[in-house]
Amino acid sequence: MTSKQQSSPHQFPDGSDAFPHRHLLGIAGLQPWEILFLLQEAGQWVDLNRKSSKHASRLEGLTVINAFFENSTRTLLSFEIAGKRMGADVVNMHAAHSSVKKGETLIDTAVTLNAMRADAIVIRHASSGAVSLIADKVDCPVLNAGDGSHEHPTQALLDALTIQRRKGDISGLTVTICGDIMHSRVARSNIYCLTTLGARVRVCAPPALLPAALDQMNVETFTDFNAALDGTDVVMMLRLQNERMSGDFIPSPREYHHLYGLTRDRLALAGEDALVMHPGPMNRGVEISSDVADDADRSAITEQVEMGVAVRMACLDVLTRRSRKVEGWS
Amino acid sequence: MTSKQQSSPHQFPDGSDAFPHRHLLGIAGLQPWEILFLLQEAGQWVDLNRKSSKHASRLEGLTVINAFFENSTRTLLSFEIAGKRMGADVVNMHAAHSSVKKGETLIDTAVTLNAMRADAIVIRHASSGAVSLIADKVDCPVLNAGDGSHEHPTQALLDALTIQRRKGDISGLTVTICGDIMHSRVARSNIYCLTTLGARVRVCAPPALLPAALDQMNVETFTDFNAALDGTDVVMMLRLQNERMSGDFIPSPREYHHLYGLTRDRLALAGEDALVMHPGPMNRGVEISSDVADDADRSAITEQVEMGVAVRMACLDVLTRRSRKVEGWS
Amino acid sequence: MTSKQQSSPHQFPDGSDAFPHRHLLGIAGLQPWEILFLLQEAGQWVDLNRKSSKHASRLEGLTVINAFFENSTRTLLSFEIAGKRMGADVVNMHAAHSSVKKGETLIDTAVTLNAMRADAIVIRHASSGAVSLIADKVDCPVLNAGDGSHEHPTQALLDALTIQRRKGDISGLTVTICGDIMHSRVARSNIYCLTTLGARVRVCAPPALLPAALDQMNVETFTDFNAALDGTDVVMMLRLQNERMSGDFIPSPREYHHLYGLTRDRLALAGEDALVMHPGPMNRGVEISSDVADDADRSAITEQVEMGVAVRMACLDVLTRRSRKVEGWS
């Protein structure tokens, strides 16, 4: 398995010769060159995926377990396709069928997956911190596919890759993230990722959905969406979860759309050629209007999905290099 | 990937050199030679599947997504096995876990699957026309695995292959289809397929389950099953859906069996050696009696299942030839 | 496919040259040398699974269907990983989506899976005897992954392999199985397996959970756990099913723990270095206390999971040798 082609050009200014992290639990704590390294690695998989035959053999003979304790069709599909395209044996563990329902502790589940000699475990869980808890108990790399309102690092990486390919260097760009900032792991991971890469990040939300902890993050906060849009290069809309739509946080979807929905008129307030993004699935007519979502020039929403598979292929590849004994990664 | 062995003998009297359709959305509109071409292609996979090692590499490196918005164990298994035996990376998207539940539009789901660079998408959906809607939005071939009461083309093809192997030339045969004709996509696709291939088709149902639109189809209609059976070469029984069993359409399963169940006595009214077929799963004792279903000489029900895998292998192969740049299919 | 390396050293004192059984429906009826042969075969897969690249090609081109009519995350994962590591095309049939729900008979389901040309079918079912019923109707090997309160043979094999690796020869060891003996297929398979291999087996349960039929089995019965532990080499705890916890069988989980829970104090009554086992998932604080479960020296619970994958790889390999025409297995 040791092979020269599998190692990557050195990119690490601190003198280390390889991505130093065992797991991908979040974006917080990653250095800018580490993020850029993962984005560069993902680039090659974008190219492969556009070919008719899109199969790599790097992970051949490895077992990747997708342990989804919280349902997510898109993210699971994306990771499953990524693992299979890399040649791995991929198995999905669905929460709905899981022994967690029989009262098994999360740690016991982790130890079980580990004992089956998984080479990478991808985990989605409704509780913040659950993924980190599992990572402490296993011998293989763990990839966080979203945990509670904590982090969703591959989402931030795919968003960064999308911006990079459309806008070039992320450093110096102004990015506005609008929606339920308080509960969003997508927002949190993106804030870490984009500020680390040197972007100016604005967050915008109704007052009830704007967390207090933002003081420590290097962002500007807005409650007026029109003001937040002024001159921005990228507008990143968040999905409004159904459970927030009626009741404590939002008066109604219609009201929300009126104040925080991205419409064509409102988009005109942003910078010329501002990019429109959304992690999906969209609530059309709530946080985003259909004409904006479907604008082939401005919307990068479909491209985000495509970048997602490539980013996950890269992460699976990079994190398993040590166990695969790729040259320079021992 | 371009290879001579992968192309097929020319069979197209109109001078075209390859199966001209991008998708398989239904049987309606297919020419007889196009249907016969697919049946001939399926033949080789029947042979392969009977071997101990039953794996082809034609679809290696391709991603096939089975997007089942309506549950169906048998059809999903059949397509999954077909895709894997052809060497593809196969992923299943289960409706029950899907973001459709989160309110995502069907079109957005289609665009998402497409952005993940699927090479073929197999779709089952409870609404007639949903599959065609998706096909319009994606770059890859779409195979209809059953949409509402519209079409179920691979079922008709596997039925035709079964008849062909048991009875020889389909042209000139008399085929009686009995059951809930009104709501059955299996009946509809079979009527198109069999009449196109030159069979005489009779349909038989209780008056409340016989659609008016049959006038435009080239079939004879019956409400008396005994009369419909007279001299027929093939008897194709439809599954009586549970939701029709009590209430508006059928007085009771027992009554239905009395009037429309295929029993040994009734089968004697059909032609000598008449073939018995059923798409499964059967309601034994309702639309078919067990002694008829299990009659090794007359019943082709098990063979239908076997032909199903082969037909789906053929369809996946044929429809991806353009993207695989098989010689003669550009 | 015929190859010399794939055949195994002869081990069968009765002069036969290969494992003589078509299916693995239970441990009852297996000869000691047959069990030892399967354990020896599993050993090589333990070694493979500990490598970074853990893929064999023996089952390449074969289709393995996991038909789970009863949910079980762990056992399904273990069989799925085993099949994929052996190179097979593995498909899972989930009961929750199955046509069994549409009223199809079990036999019809079996015939359908068979017609799809499965090369091995792994079945889990809530009814004792259901797996055997299916085995009678199909052409390929059937592996019982647990049927009702009848047998769970691969669990007994993985338990035996774990004991063998920790304790050496099983013959002469004293093994105490404690818990709901009456309803436990794990207990039943282990009793057959361990007594066949020459161990002294003690079973211990509350009187209401001790079956009468044990008279015919070669075991000692206890209702006092402390007495049962005296001098035992291996303590095998069974999972207390939730449905037994309140009501007819057990006064309460707390009461059960008091009388039949394996605690550190109680473990001291067993032989020095007695091994602690549990098939999982555990109810910590009910049948076993956490300090015992997590004792790295005494507890083999994690190792059992690991052995499970290896044992299932061995069973899939051995049972398909005839159809793969491995030399000496015709």
Side-chain angles (χ1 to χ4, degrees):
Chain A
M1 266 294 154
T2 306
S3 88
K4 210 149 192 172
Q5 319 82 291
Q6 290 199 21
S7 63
S8 305
H10 288 203
Q11 293 219 335
F12 298 98
D14 60 346
S16 75
D17 62 348
F19 188 77
H21 305 280
R22 220 179 115 215
H23 305 296
L24 182 69
L25 303 181
I27 299 294
L30 292 189
Q31 299 300 323
W33 55 87
E34 293 167 356
I35 295 172
L36 291 172
F37 170 72
L38 292 174
L39 300 185
Q40 182 191 305
E41 287 287 324
Q44 68 186 299
W45 306 120
V46 176
D47 297 338
L48 179 74
N49 290 339
R50 291 183 174 181
K51 292 184 179 163
S52 163
S53 185
K54 42 182 75 83
H55 203 84
S57 57
R58 286 205 189 170
L59 299 202
E60 226 160 61
L62 272 64
T63 303
V64 174
I65 301 183
N66 295 318
F68 275 53
F69 298 91
E70 187 188 59
N71 282 337
S72 163
T73 309
R74 289 161 153 262
T75 307
L76 177 58
L77 266 183
S78 185
F79 268 109
E80 186 178 357
I81 289 174
K84 287 181 171 174
R85 283 195 186 149
M86 295 301 277
D89 291 327
V90 180
V91 293
N92 296 335
M93 193 190 96
H94 295 288
H97 308 142
S98 97
S99 31
V100 177
K101 292 251 163 122
K102 288 192 193 169
E104 187 180 40
T105 70
L106 189 62
I107 298 292
D108 282 343
T109 304
V111 168
T112 299
L113 300 181
N114 192 54
M116 292 180 183
R117 301 280 164 177
D119 296 288
I121 305 179
V122 179
I123 301 167
R124 190 178 189 106
H125 200 287
S127 301
S128 308
V131 177
S132 166
L133 208 66
I134 292 177
D136 284 347
K137 295 290 176 184
V138 302
D139 301 311
C140 69
V142 167
L143 289 83
N144 183 357
D147 65 326
S149 52
H150 174 229
E151 282 236 34
H152 191 355
T154 56
Q155 178 72 41
L157 292 171
L158 74 88
D159 288 335
L161 184 59
T162 305
I163 297 171
Q164 206 186 42
R165 291 170 63 100
R166 286 278 194 122
K167 293 282 180 188
D169 199 348
I170 287 171
S171 173
L173 293 178
T174 299
V175 182
T176 299
I177 307 175
C178 177
D180 178 3
I181 303 294
M182 187 154 74
H183 302 93
S184 174
R185 54 198 178 205
V186 173
R188 182 178 300 267
S189 287
N190 263 304
I191 290 168
Y192 288 128
C193 185
L194 294 165
T195 56
T196 301
L197 295 179
R200 281 182 296 274
V201 177
R202 299 173 182 170
V203 301
C204 175
L209 294 173
L210 208 51
L214 283 174
D215 306 347
Q216 297 131 39
M217 288 174 152
N218 190 19
V219 298
E220 275 184 279
T221 59
F222 294 79
T223 54
D224 176 349
F225 192 22
N226 289 353
L229 284 169
D230 181 45
T232 195
D233 299 298
V234 179
V235 192
M236 203 177 267
M237 302 305 298
L238 300 177
R239 173 179 175 75
L240 186 65
Q241 302 295 330
N242 290 326
E243 56 268 33
R244 316 259 189 260
M245 279 198 200
S246 56
D248 304 337
F249 297 106
I250 303 290
S252 75
R254 175 189 294 266
E255 182 83 355
Y256 185 83
H257 181 67
H258 180 64
L259 291 171
Y260 297 98
L262 187 62
T263 57
R264 183 155 295 287
D265 283 350
R266 204 163 255 147
L267 182 56
L269 302 172
E272 201 185 347
D273 299 327
L275 201 62
V276 173
M277 301 176 74
H278 190 293
M282 291 183 275
N283 297 300
R284 288 164 175 269
V286 183
E287 71 263 7
I288 192 165
S289 69
S290 277
D291 54 353
V292 173
D294 299 335
D295 180 330
D297 291 329
R298 307 291 291 274
S299 165
I301 296 172
T302 306
E303 202 171 329
Q304 287 173 273
V305 176
E306 184 184 6
M307 295 306 117
V309 178
V311 155
R312 282 147 192 154
M313 292 168 84
C315 291
L316 286 169
D317 171 31
V318 167
L319 290 172
T320 57
R321 286 189 189 170
R322 267 184 198 76
S323 70
R324 288 186 290 123
K325 301 187 177 62
V326 172
E327 199 180 310
W329 289 71
S330 53
Chain B
M1 267 292 155
T2 306
S3 89
K4 208 148 192 171
Q5 321 81 290
Q6 290 199 20
S7 62
S8 303
H10 288 204
Q11 292 218 338
F12 298 98
D14 60 346
S16 74
D17 61 349
F19 190 76
H21 305 281
R22 219 178 116 217
H23 305 296
L24 183 69
L25 303 181
I27 299 293
L30 293 188
Q31 299 299 323
W33 54 88
E34 293 167 355
I35 295 172
L36 291 171
F37 170 73
L38 292 174
L39 300 185
Q40 181 191 304
E41 287 287 324
Q44 69 187 298
W45 306 120
V46 176
D47 296 339
L48 178 75
N49 290 340
R50 290 182 174 182
K51 292 183 180 163
S52 162
S53 185
K54 43 182 74 83
H55 204 84
S57 57
R58 285 203 190 173
L59 300 203
E60 226 161 62
L62 272 65
T63 303
V64 174
I65 302 182
N66 294 320
F68 275 53
F69 298 91
E70 188 187 59
N71 282 337
S72 163
T73 309
R74 289 161 154 263
T75 307
L76 177 58
L77 265 182
S78 185
F79 268 109
E80 186 178 355
I81 289 173
K84 288 180 171 174
R85 283 193 187 152
M86 296 300 278
D89 291 327
V90 181
V91 293
N92 295 335
M93 193 190 97
H94 294 290
H97 308 141
S98 97
S99 30
V100 177
K101 291 249 163 125
K102 289 193 193 169
E104 189 179 41
T105 69
L106 190 61
I107 298 293
D108 282 343
T109 305
V111 168
T112 299
L113 300 181
N114 193 53
M116 291 180 183
R117 301 279 165 179
D119 296 288
I121 305 179
V122 179
I123 301 167
R124 190 177 189 106
H125 200 286
S127 301
S128 307
V131 177
S132 166
L133 208 67
I134 291 177
D136 284 347
K137 295 290 176 184
V138 302
D139 301 311
C140 69
V142 166
L143 289 83
N144 182 358
D147 65 327
S149 53
H150 173 229
E151 282 236 35
H152 190 357
T154 56
Q155 178 71 43
L157 292 170
L158 74 87
D159 287 335
L161 183 60
T162 305
I163 297 172
Q164 205 185 43
R165 290 170 64 99
R166 285 278 195 122
K167 292 283 180 187
D169 199 348
I170 287 171
S171 174
L173 293 178
T174 300
V175 181
T176 298
I177 307 174
C178 177
D180 177 3
I181 304 292
M182 187 155 74
H183 302 93
S184 174
R185 55 198 177 203
V186 173
R188 182 179 300 267
S189 288
N190 263 305
I191 291 169
Y192 287 128
C193 186
L194 294 165
T195 56
T196 301
L197 295 179
R200 281 183 296 273
V201 177
R202 299 172 183 171
V203 300
C204 175
L209 293 174
L210 209 51
L214 284 173
D215 307 347
Q216 296 131 40
M217 288 174 152
N218 191 19
V219 298
E220 273 183 280
T221 60
F222 293 79
T223 53
D224 176 350
F225 192 23
N226 290 352
L229 284 170
D230 181 45
T232 196
D233 299 297
V234 178
V235 192
M236 202 177 267
M237 301 306 297
L238 300 177
R239 173 179 175 75
L240 186 64
Q241 301 294 330
N242 290 326
E243 57 267 34
R244 318 257 189 261
M245 278 198 202
S246 56
D248 304 338
F249 298 105
I250 304 290
S252 75
R254 176 189 294 265
E255 182 83 357
Y256 185 82
H257 181 66
H258 181 65
L259 291 171
Y260 296 99
L262 187 62
T263 58
R264 183 155 294 288
D265 284 350
R266 204 165 256 147
L267 181 57
L269 303 173
E272 201 185 348
D273 298 327
L275 201 62
V276 173
M277 300 176 74
H278 190 294
M282 290 182 277
N283 296 301
R284 289 166 174 268
V286 182
E287 71 262 6
I288 192 165
S289 69
S290 277
D291 54 353
V292 173
D294 299 335
D295 180 331
D297 291 329
R298 307 292 289 275
S299 165
I301 296 171
T302 305
E303 203 171 328
Q304 288 173 272
V305 176
E306 184 184 4
M307 296 305 119
V309 178
V311 156
R312 281 145 192 155
M313 291 168 84
C315 292
L316 286 170
D317 170 31
V318 167
L319 291 172
T320 56
R321 285 188 190 171
R322 269 184 196 78
S323 69
R324 288 186 290 122
K325 301 189 176 61
V326 172
E327 199 179 310
W329 290 72
S330 53
Chain C
M1 269 292 155
T2 305
S3 89
K4 209 151 192 172
Q5 319 83 289
Q6 291 200 18
S7 64
S8 303
H10 287 203
Q11 293 219 338
F12 299 98
D14 60 345
S16 74
D17 61 349
F19 189 78
H21 305 280
R22 219 179 116 215
H23 305 296
L24 182 69
L25 303 180
I27 299 294
L30 293 188
Q31 299 300 323
W33 54 87
E34 293 167 356
I35 295 171
L36 291 171
F37 170 72
L38 292 175
L39 300 185
Q40 182 190 304
E41 287 287 324
Q44 68 188 298
W45 306 121
V46 176
D47 296 338
L48 178 74
N49 290 339
R50 290 182 174 182
K51 293 183 179 163
S52 162
S53 185
K54 44 182 74 83
H55 203 85
S57 56
R58 285 205 190 170
L59 299 202
E60 226 160 61
L62 272 64
T63 303
V64 174
I65 301 182
N66 294 319
F68 274 52
F69 298 92
E70 187 187 60
N71 282 337
S72 162
T73 309
R74 289 160 155 264
T75 308
L76 177 58
L77 265 183
S78 185
F79 268 109
E80 186 178 355
I81 289 174
K84 287 181 171 173
R85 284 195 185 151
M86 296 301 277
D89 292 326
V90 180
V91 293
N92 295 336
M93 193 191 96
H94 295 289
H97 309 141
S98 98
S99 30
V100 177
K101 291 251 163 121
K102 288 192 192 169
E104 188 178 41
T105 69
L106 189 61
I107 298 292
D108 282 342
T109 304
V111 168
T112 298
L113 300 181
N114 192 53
M116 292 181 183
R117 301 280 164 179
D119 297 287
I121 304 179
V122 179
I123 300 168
R124 190 177 189 106
H125 200 286
S127 302
S128 308
V131 177
S132 166
L133 208 67
I134 291 177
D136 285 346
K137 295 291 177 183
V138 301
D139 301 311
C140 69
V142 167
L143 289 83
N144 183 358
D147 65 327
S149 52
H150 174 229
E151 281 236 34
H152 190 357
T154 56
Q155 178 71 43
L157 292 171
L158 73 88
D159 287 335
L161 184 59
T162 305
I163 297 172
Q164 206 186 43
R165 291 170 64 100
R166 286 277 195 123
K167 292 282 180 188
D169 199 348
I170 288 171
S171 173
L173 293 178
T174 300
V175 181
T176 298
I177 307 175
C178 177
D180 177 3
I181 304 293
M182 187 156 72
H183 302 95
S184 174
R185 54 197 177 204
V186 174
R188 183 178 299 266
S189 288
N190 263 304
I191 291 169
Y192 286 128
C193 186
L194 294 165
T195 56
T196 301
L197 295 179
R200 282 183 297 273
V201 176
R202 300 173 182 169
V203 301
C204 176
L209 293 174
L210 208 52
L214 284 173
D215 306 349
Q216 297 132 40
M217 288 175 152
N218 191 18
V219 298
E220 273 184 281
T221 60
F222 293 79
T223 53
D224 175 350
F225 192 23
N226 290 352
L229 285 170
D230 181 47
T232 195
D233 299 298
V234 179
V235 192
M236 203 178 267
M237 302 306 298
L238 300 177
R239 173 180 175 75
L240 185 64
Q241 301 295 329
N242 290 327
E243 57 267 34
R244 318 257 189 263
M245 279 198 201
S246 56
D248 304 339
F249 297 105
I250 303 290
S252 75
R254 176 188 295 263
E255 182 83 356
Y256 184 83
H257 182 67
H258 180 65
L259 291 171
Y260 297 99
L262 187 61
T263 58
R264 183 156 294 286
D265 282 351
R266 203 164 257 147
L267 182 57
L269 304 172
E272 201 185 346
D273 299 326
L275 200 62
V276 174
M277 301 177 74
H278 191 294
M282 290 182 276
N283 297 301
R284 288 164 175 268
V286 184
E287 71 264 7
I288 191 165
S289 68
S290 277
D291 54 352
V292 172
D294 300 334
D295 180 328
D297 291 329
R298 307 292 289 275
S299 165
I301 296 172
T302 305
E303 201 171 329
Q304 288 173 272
V305 176
E306 183 183 6
M307 296 306 118
V309 178
V311 156
R312 282 146 192 154
M313 291 169 83
C315 292
L316 286 169
D317 171 31
V318 167
L319 291 173
T320 57
R321 285 189 189 170
R322 269 183 195 76
S323 69
R324 288 186 290 124
K325 300 187 176 61
V326 172
E327 200 179 311
W329 289 72
S330 53

